[in-house]
């Protein structure tokens, strides 16, 4: 099969992946406000896996719900899609690596708070880093500041550079930070430098996307969050021309000022090495986390958020708001979908 034909087949998967995240978001939204985060997550996982079963691909989960012994579905290494049983060299279906978070913001969904999403990223084999479920220190910015900041630089220095890139005063910048005790020093440094802070309870992936697009009111994301979300953020940055810089952080490094210090967490180090991560102190950039040429990124809002509206239910159906992006061709689509369940007399409201 020619390279062009293979690329065409891969790009056609984007619409199928859009359906996958829509289905997961709808299932999660049915549980919104129930206060049952595990129930919300389970609903999204089950719906996503079932809808992924018929996708025309030979898929492999590289970022999922965890290792097999802790996650019965969408676990790391699970084969999914219509060609799940085929070997990698079989050309019946394109071989795809997949990163998923069926419900980013389980607490947000459980409480009805903003920015809960269902998200999926895909690439050709080897196009997404195999990252263990652990912590990662991150710096996320938009296109104007790509390549200009340094995750190891002092906060004040990075803010000064960012303000110059965006042509606005430091006091006009807004930085999203997860509201966690481990960020006390970071928050103090941001305030001392004069930047404004948006403390978020969950969802640093959504915040990263907000930082990469104009008009969101967010200019950067800083701090420690999940490593799987870091890989998903990198896939989004490839499509949005933004940048993520990141470094893995082990549990005994969480509250240390120097996240590169020697760790005694040998169990986690062994898991990292098993996934091909030899240097735990390495700084990863966008192309390190998502090196693939053919990136597909799809997300659907579960609850109302900065970029997307949440799922809305009505008498004869529901309505979803999604973001669908690809690198080949380079497209960014906002997709507003009305899912009609009623009969021929159903009134469609746009």
């Amino acid at each position: 099969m020619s390279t062009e034909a293979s690329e065409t087949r891969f790009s056609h998967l984007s619409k199928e992946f859009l359906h996958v995240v829509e289905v997961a978001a709808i299932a999660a939204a049915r549980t919104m406000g129930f206060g049952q985060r595990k129930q919300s997550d389970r609903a999204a996982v089950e719906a996503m896996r079932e809808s992924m079963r018929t996708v025309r691909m030979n898929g492999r989960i590289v970022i999922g719900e965890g290792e097999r012994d802790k996650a019965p579905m969408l676990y790391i290494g699970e084969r999914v899609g219509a060609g799940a049983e085929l070997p990698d060299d079989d050309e019946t279906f394109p071989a795809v690596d997949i990163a998923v978070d069926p419900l980013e913001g389980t607490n947000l969904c459980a409480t009805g708070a903003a920015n809960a999403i269902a998200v999926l990223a895909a690439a050709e084999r080897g196009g997404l880093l195999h990252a263990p479920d652990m912590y990662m220190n991150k710096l996320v910015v938009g296109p104007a500041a790509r390549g200009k900041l340094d995750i190891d630089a002092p906060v004040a220095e990075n803010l000064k550079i960012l303000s110059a890139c965006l042509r606005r005063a430091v006091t006009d910048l807004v930085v999203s930070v997860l509201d966690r005790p481990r960020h006390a020093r970071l928050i103090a440094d941001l305030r001392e430098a004069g930047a404004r802070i948006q403390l978020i309870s969950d969802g640093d992936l959504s915040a990263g996307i907000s930082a990469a697009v104009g008009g969101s009111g967010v200019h950067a994301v800083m701090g420690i969050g999940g490593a799987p979300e870091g890989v998903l953020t990198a896939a989004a940055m490839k499509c949005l021309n933004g940048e993520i810089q990141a470094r893995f952080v082990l549990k005994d490094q969480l509250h240390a000022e120097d996240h590169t210090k020697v760790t005694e967490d040998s169990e986690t180090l062994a898991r990292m090495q098993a996934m091909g991560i030899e240097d735990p102190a390495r700084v990863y950039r966008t192309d390190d986390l998502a090196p693939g040429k053919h990136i597909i990124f799809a997300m659907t809002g579960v609850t109302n958020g900065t970029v997307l509206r949440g799922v809305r239910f009505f008498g004869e159906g529901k309505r979803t708001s999604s973001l669908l992006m690809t690198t080949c061709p380079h497209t960014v689509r906002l997709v507003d979908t009305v899912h009609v369940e009623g009969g021929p007399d159903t009134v469609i409201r746009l």
Side-chain angles (χ1 to χ4, degrees), residues 2 8 29 37 39 89 145 159 215 238 275 282 308 310 349:
S2 68
T8 299
R37 60 185 299 273
Q39 178 187 354
D89 58 359
L159 290 175
K238 288 285 285 278
M275 292 187 178
R282 174 184 173 183
L308 300 174
R349 292 178 175 83

Side-chain angles (χ1 to χ4, degrees), residues 138-151 208 211-212 220-221 233-234 236-238 240-246 283-287 289:
K138 309 170 195 174
L139 171 63
V140 185
V141 293
R146 186 180 66 244
K148 305 292 178 58
L149 277 63
D150 184 346
I151 194 171
V221 175
T233 300
M237 294 304 104
K238 288 285 285 278
L240 292 170
N241 297 328
E243 180 185 38
I244 178 173
Q245 298 178 31
V283 173
Y284 288 83
R285 297 181 181 270
T286 308
D287 283 332
L289 296 169

